Amino acid sequence: MSGFCQHQSLPGFRIHLLFIRSEFSYDEFDVNAYRIFRVDWEILFGGTHTCRAAVTPPMAETLVRNYPEVEAATGSGTGAPFAQ
């Protein structure tokens, strides 16, 4: 039975390895990939802790306006889950 488990886990490991490699190479298509950053944020709202990997367009505009080292930014999402 242990041989069966080993044969099942190896393909799963390879799939995970390919996924991780893909995630780390996501922005490599751009010659300036080392200058691309993703902004994450956390919020505690009404006792609920949430993490997001997207910022709203107003946040992107604020980053460009208030931080000279930010050359360009784009927002995605609306923040709708918090507009209750």
Side-chain angles (χ1 to χ4, degrees), residues 3-4 16-17 24 27-29 31-35 39 43 46 51 53 67 69 79 81:
F4 175 76
H16 281 88
L17 188 62
F24 279 108
D27 292 324
E28 287 181 0
F29 67 91
V31 294
N32 293 317
Y34 67 96
R35 298 172 64 192
V39 176
I43 189 167
C51 298
Y67 296 91
E69 57 270 19

Side-chain angles (χ1 to χ4, degrees), residues 58-78:
M59 167 88 70
E61 294 167 11
T62 302
L63 288 171
V64 173
R65 185 174 49 249
N66 294 342
Y67 296 91
E69 57 270 19
V70 176
E71 296 175 3
T74 185
S76 61
T78 61

Side-chain angles (χ1 to χ4, degrees), residues 8-81:
Q8 294 299 321
S9 63
L10 188 57
F13 172 75
R14 288 181 179 165
I15 289 171
H16 281 88
L17 188 62
L18 290 172
F19 173 77
I20 291 169
R21 241 176 93 188
S22 170
E23 288 294 303
F24 279 108
S25 67
Y26 182 75
D27 292 324
E28 287 181 0
F29 67 91
D30 193 313
V31 294
N32 293 317
Y34 67 96
R35 298 172 64 192
I36 298 173
F37 295 90
R38 181 177 80 178
V39 176
D40 297 339
W41 58 276
E42 295 182 47
I43 189 167
L44 182 60
F45 184 77
T48 303
H49 182 253
T50 304
C51 298
R52 299 272 183 204
V55 296
T56 59
M59 167 88 70
E61 294 167 11
T62 302
L63 288 171
V64 173
R65 185 174 49 249
N66 294 342
Y67 296 91
E69 57 270 19
V70 176
E71 296 175 3
T74 185
S76 61
T78 61

